[in-house]
Amino acid sequence: MRWKRRTGRTVIGLLIAGMVSAGLLPVAANAAEPTDLARGKTVTASGSHGGYPAANANDGKVDSYWESNGHPADLTVKLGADADVQSVVLKLNPDPVWATRTQDIQVLGRKQDGTAFSSLRARAGYVFNPGSNRNTVTIPVTGRVADLQLKFFSNTEAPGAQVAEIQVLGTAAPNPDLTVSALSWSPSSPSETDDITIAGTVRNAGSAASPATTVNVSLGGVVVGSAPVGPLAAGASAPVSVPVGKRPQGSYTVSALVDPTDTVVESDNTNNSRTTASPLVVGQSPGPDLEVRSITSSPANPAVGAAVTFTVAVHNRGTSAVSAGTVTRLTVGSTTLNGTTPAIAAGATANVTVGGSWTAASGGATLTATADATNLVAETSETNNTFARSIVVGRGAAVPYTELEAEKANYQGTLLQSDAERTFGHTNFATESSGRESVRLNSTGQYVEFTSTTPANSIVVRNSIPDAPGGGGREATISLYADGKFVRKLDLSSKHSWLYGNTDSPEGLTNTPGGDARRLFDESHALLTQTYPVGTKFRLQRDASDNAAFYIIDLIDLEQVAAPSSQPSGCVSITTYGAVANDGLDDTAAIQRAVTANQNGEIDCVWIPAGQWRQEQKILTDDPLDRGQWNQVGIRDVTIRGAGMWHSQLYTLTPPHEAGGINHPHEGNFGFDIDENTQISDIAIFGSGTIRGGDGNHEGGVALNGRFGKDTKISNVWIEHANVGVWAGRDFDNIQELWNPGDGVEFTGMRIRNTYADGINFANGTRNSTVYNSSFRNTGDDALAVWSSKYVKDQSVDIGHDNSFRNNTIQLPWRANGIAIYGGYGNKIENNLISDTMNYPAIMLATDHDPLPFSGQTLIANNGLYRTGGAFWNEDQEFGAITLFPQNLPIPGVTIRDTDIVDSTYDGIQFKTGGGLMPDVKIQNVRIDKSNNGSGILAMGGARGNATLTDVTITDSRDGHVLIEPGSQFTVSGAPNGARAKR
């Protein structure tokens, strides 16, 4: 593995020190010895060749190196803060096999408050000679910079620039350095009925004054409050005090983080957090305390329209009994049901049958049960009476949150609405909005106010704020109010949005501003410190301190998030192996040690407690043969469990192209590489990607990738800001002896958001696998796909088959399809809800991407498709809501049934020109309403095949019910509603 870095003083530093002590150099007053300021810092490049990334130039090893993909080329070291630099040392491998070479180099620098680079050393040729200078060159420079850049113009022995190690020698310039110390709490031994206050001291240990900032306090890994910190002179300290309210019984890790948004430039940005050695222990208060343990429905999996009844398990975790007669209430949708609770002794549980029933609605719903709903009992804790879970019915995922649209809320702002063709790719916010509408806030005081329909203690905001002038995103806040009372500032960012360019090639877009833009939205989320009841008015308001040029609000999700789960018996925490929550330091080594121990049978499973855990390298199996970054060994026989996707969160700060370890297209430096029999549940994985391939092949990585094999099950995992959420499958030639395609892989309860490519892709012969009851939003390619590729061991056997996508909700793919099947047989697309595709179909069967052929049957059944289809590829290709595209190969055996296609941008069902045959398509019990710019059913001029319609209803299509273009060899039998096909 690659986590260790060598330490020690530099040779140049020792030489200078020796000259000073010998009297050969004067001793400057208060002079600091120059050190290697580049050690451990991020190095980026304008481009890299093959397996020679920029990170190799700063990994402490001269036998690895960075090589650019041509000239001119830039290599930039981000020092983190201003420093007075004296020289730059460049090294290549001193082995004589490296022939003497001359590289033409200019040195530039940029201050921490600067935007442009200026020259520190003019362009000159530097000779690297393994004999005369051991391939080491020292370039004297003078200047104060935070970013140092080398610009390479030529290399006499290679087509690109080459650097094995870079050192930047100098001393830190005056800057603040904020630290936290002396964390304590009062009362010192609180119970559940006590209001708790966390106190501490913020000190500026730096050599320059610090501006005002804030400090966040976390309990158990969750931010529970913040306090302002005024300006601090160098060496000055200030006390801080943060009320955190009442807390349930338990043990809480206490941590504080100063300057949480990283707005203060510091000489050391790694020491801003402090975690107490001992936890805060909250004791149980005497008295009763009711909580809901579970909700049971009958039937458990109801059909649409069925009458469903419920039983609620109410537990008294208190120390005294509760008398009979309290109300247990269950809400589902607009239905409220009540039950009378019997007496419950301390520590006992009662099963309460609530009266009445609920009529099951398509798409499922959130069940919310509340103990003591009328507040008859004075409990030791009033914060744990509510419990929520999902019930799956009919179409779509039973998501645990309630989604509310901005345009349907109360607002003061500007309503944005898309044009008739929902034009994409031209900085069109409305086209990229859910429902094709959103609200823009331009002025102080403007707002969007939502009224909640379920209890909630969390919020997700889908929003857009402007990019930074030079690209790379910016941060801003918006103010959250509840029933007119200020709750908190929400942090928004445009770092992961705003891709520029007129090309439709996914690798052709750039993060550099200019011209048209797309992928305009991103999401922010926050856990709130209390549960807000039904009917709460949540207002997102632009206050005077919210300083983005504009805010566009698309929707919010409100969710009642359960408390963190307890550590399961037999699981060992990653903290045992050295991980520390919320400290901002890399926990990869500790996580890897825990996973390796589980894989080796030393522990039963890996526990990731509540908290923010930084991960900067992929978790995998160390390969003793070291076959390189393109050939990896995944984990197997591993179980990883977390406290909940809102609580146990892995994150990375380093974009994959700037990282070491795995760093090649599609895999990146975060998440898990899986080979077999791996279970992962109840965590979040947040990447740091910002692009798909453009700007030097800077892809965003994959959260879960590998061969997957058998017995792999992933549940309740939240993934954001990856290139791909899940890529199941590896090419056969990637370590052939480990060939092991996914078989019986299961994904449930997934929440995949804001990717640059696919959500979940079943590739390389994946079979018998399922994605169920999961949600996808703003994916940059197919949200779900089966790609029966040819890169397999045996093309006659290793075919993508019998995979199923059931009861999923897919929204706003900003490129490509909601669901796609490329080849194979026996694959099924059932009970899904798909809405607002930007440019491609909701569902596509296609033989482009050179798959193995379709055969047998492919089923598309009981799906709801709303506002889907679009125009792409220079807006020359118009896609239907469901499109069959036989690119040279046939697509046989297709059944489309029991489906609603509503408000399509172009055609409802489209049979596309491609050369292949589409024989015997069966379309049964399908409703197509309002094809805005096309037909109900279209057979294009080059389409070949036939379809039979049974019980098909088509209404309000601009170009008619069924249109067969001139020259088409496609026939349609059976007319919808008595209409005749047009030619």
Side-chain angles (χ1 to χ4, degrees), residues 472-473 493-500 504-511 518-523 655-656 666 670 686-694 698-702 719-727 752-759 777-783 812-816:
S493 174
S494 55
K495 176 182 178 181
H496 301 284
S497 49
W498 293 92
L499 295 179
Y500 301 89
D504 290 326
S505 168
E507 287 80 20
L509 300 172
T510 176
N511 288 137
R518 65 192 71 188
R519 199 189 189 283
L520 305 171
F521 285 86
D522 200 48
E523 297 180 14
H666 300 306
F670 61 97
F686 296 148
S688 60
T690 61
I691 200 168
R692 176 182 175 176
H698 294 173
E699 294 214 29
V702 182
I719 297 171
E720 276 200 63
H721 300 147
N723 196 51
V724 175
V726 178
W727 191 275
I752 296 181
R753 303 282 189 270
N754 306 306
T755 65
Y756 299 90
D758 301 66
R777 192 156 65 207
N778 206 37
T779 56
D781 212 309
D782 304 327
L812 296 151
W814 64 269
R815 187 184 185 280

Side-chain angles (χ1 to χ4, degrees), residues 192-193 246 288-290 370-372 375-386 531:
E192 295 172 298
T193 56
K246 297 178 177 65
D289 186 18
L290 296 176
T370 304
D372 190 29
N375 293 316
L376 292 178
V377 180
E379 301 179 64
T380 58
S381 174
E382 300 286 354
T383 64
N384 59 352
N385 287 19
T386 300
T531 295

Side-chain angles (χ1 to χ4, degrees), residues 293-571:
R293 287 284 181 88
S294 65
I295 304 171
T296 303
S297 62
S298 179
N301 296 296
V304 174
V308 187
T309 59
F310 303 96
T311 301
V312 178
V314 179
H315 176 73
N316 180 5
R317 63 174 290 275
T319 60
S320 59
V322 174
S323 301
T326 64
V327 174
T328 297
R329 178 168 294 159
L330 184 139
T331 60
V332 49
S334 60
T335 300
T336 299
L337 307 174
N338 293 316
T340 301
T341 312
I344 308 178
T349 301
N351 291 318
V352 182
T353 301
V354 296
S357 64
W358 168 67
T359 302
S362 179
T366 298
L367 308 174
T368 303
T370 304
D372 190 29
T374 58
N375 293 316
L376 292 178
V377 180
E379 301 179 64
T380 58
S381 174
E382 300 286 354
T383 64
N384 59 352
N385 287 19
T386 300
F387 173 85
R389 77 166 180 85
S390 300
I391 184 169
V392 180
V393 182
R395 295 172 181 163
V399 295
Y401 51 83
T402 299
E403 186 174 296
L404 301 175
E405 296 279 354
E407 67 272 15
K408 296 179 181 178
N410 180 30
Y411 62 85
Q412 286 187 5
T414 303
L415 178 65
L416 305 181
Q417 296 176 298
S418 65
D419 60 283
E421 294 185 343
R422 299 163 179 163
T423 307
F424 170 74
H426 301 286
T427 323
N428 192 324
F429 294 99
T431 291
E432 295 195 33
S433 299
S434 175
R436 313 293 182 164
E437 294 182 328
S438 53
V439 175
R440 179 177 176 127
L441 309 180
N442 287 320
S443 305
T444 298
Q446 292 188 326
Y447 63 85
V448 183
E449 187 172 77
F450 306 84
T451 301
S452 69
T453 57
T454 57
N457 63 357
S458 71
I459 188 169
V460 174
V461 181
R462 187 169 195 263
N463 69 90
S464 181
I465 62 172
D467 196 3
R474 57 157 297 175
E475 280 69 45
T477 59
I478 196 166
S479 301
L480 175 66
Y481 293 81
D483 291 333
K485 182 179 179 181
F486 177 77
V487 175
R488 59 170 291 173
K489 294 285 190 181
L490 298 179
D491 296 320
L492 312 182
S493 174
S494 55
K495 176 182 178 181
H496 301 284
S497 49
W498 293 92
L499 295 179
Y500 301 89
N502 294 318
T503 177
D504 290 326
S505 168
E507 287 80 20
L509 300 172
T510 176
N511 288 137
T512 303
D516 289 330
R518 65 192 71 188
R519 199 189 189 283
L520 305 171
F521 285 86
D522 200 48
E523 297 180 14
S524 298
H525 59 270
L527 268 176
L528 308 178
T529 58
Q530 69 180 77
T531 295
Y532 292 87
V534 173
T536 299
K537 296 184 182 300
F538 288 101
R539 175 178 289 196
L540 297 172
Q541 180 168 293
R542 179 175 181 171
D543 288 347
S545 57
D546 302 325
N547 59 7
F550 61 81
Y551 296 80
I552 296 173
I553 307 300
D554 183 25
L555 58 81
I556 66 169
D557 295 333
L558 296 176
E559 180 178 354
Q560 180 63 33
V561 178
S565 300
S566 300
Q567 181 172 340
S569 175
C571 286

Side-chain angles (χ1 to χ4, degrees), residues 66-390:
W66 163 71
E67 183 170 330
S68 72
N69 54 357
H71 288 101
D74 297 337
L75 186 70
T76 303
V77 182
K78 298 180 181 296
L79 303 178
D82 277 348
D84 295 319
V85 295
Q86 300 178 11
S87 62
V88 180
V89 179
L90 303 179
K91 298 181 180 182
L92 292 175
N93 193 327
D95 192 307
V97 73
W98 281 70
T100 299
R101 66 203 61 217
T102 299
Q103 299 197 68
D104 208 19
I105 306 170
Q106 179 187 11
V107 185
L108 304 97
R110 178 173 61 190
K111 290 187 176 181
Q112 62 193 32
D113 58 356
T115 56
F117 284 91
S118 58
S119 181
L120 302 178
R121 192 79 178 183
R123 173 178 173 178
Y126 296 92
V127 177
F128 293 78
N129 186 316
S132 63
N133 63 14
R134 291 188 55 78
N135 265 347
T136 298
V137 165
T138 300
I139 306 174
V141 294
T142 301
R144 177 169 289 182
V145 301
D147 298 324
L148 186 136
Q149 184 177 88
L150 304 179
K151 188 175 289 291
F152 295 80
F153 298 92
S154 64
N155 183 346
T156 58
E157 293 295 321
Q162 295 169 313
V163 175
E165 284 297 300
I166 181 170
Q167 297 175 333
V168 179
L169 302 182
T171 58
N175 263 306
D177 181 18
L178 297 173
T179 63
V180 181
S181 61
L183 286 180
S184 63
W185 49 85
S186 61
S188 58
S189 299
S191 69
E192 295 172 298
T193 56
D194 291 322
D195 287 310
I196 303 169
T197 298
I198 307 297
T201 300
V202 174
R203 179 172 183 264
N204 178 7
S207 53
S210 167
T213 182
T214 58
V215 61
N216 282 355
V217 167
S218 297
L219 296 183
V222 178
V223 176
V224 293
S226 62
V229 179
L232 290 174
S237 299
V240 291
S241 180
V242 180
V244 298
K246 297 178 177 65
R247 295 287 137 181
Q249 177 189 15
S251 178
Y252 299 88
T253 300
V254 180
S255 60
L257 174 65
V258 65
D259 191 30
T261 57
D262 202 19
T263 55
V264 178
V265 178
E266 303 179 59
S267 57
D268 185 355
N269 213 31
T270 65
N271 60 354
N272 287 20
S273 67
R274 175 62 60 104
T275 300
T276 58
S278 301
L280 163 65
V281 178
V282 178
Q284 185 175 12
S285 296
D289 186 18
L290 296 176
E291 62 180 2
V292 176
R293 287 284 181 88
S294 65
I295 304 171
T296 303
S297 62
S298 179
N301 296 296
V304 174
V308 187
T309 59
F310 303 96
T311 301
V312 178
V314 179
H315 176 73
N316 180 5
R317 63 174 290 275
T319 60
S320 59
V322 174
S323 301
T326 64
V327 174
T328 297
R329 178 168 294 159
L330 184 139
T331 60
V332 49
S334 60
T335 300
T336 299
L337 307 174
N338 293 316
T340 301
T341 312
I344 308 178
T349 301
N351 291 318
V352 182
T353 301
V354 296
S357 64
W358 168 67
T359 302
S362 179
T366 298
L367 308 174
T368 303
T370 304
D372 190 29
T374 58
N375 293 316
L376 292 178
V377 180
E379 301 179 64
T380 58
S381 174
E382 300 286 354
T383 64
N384 59 352
N385 287 19
T386 300
F387 173 85
R389 77 166 180 85
S390 300

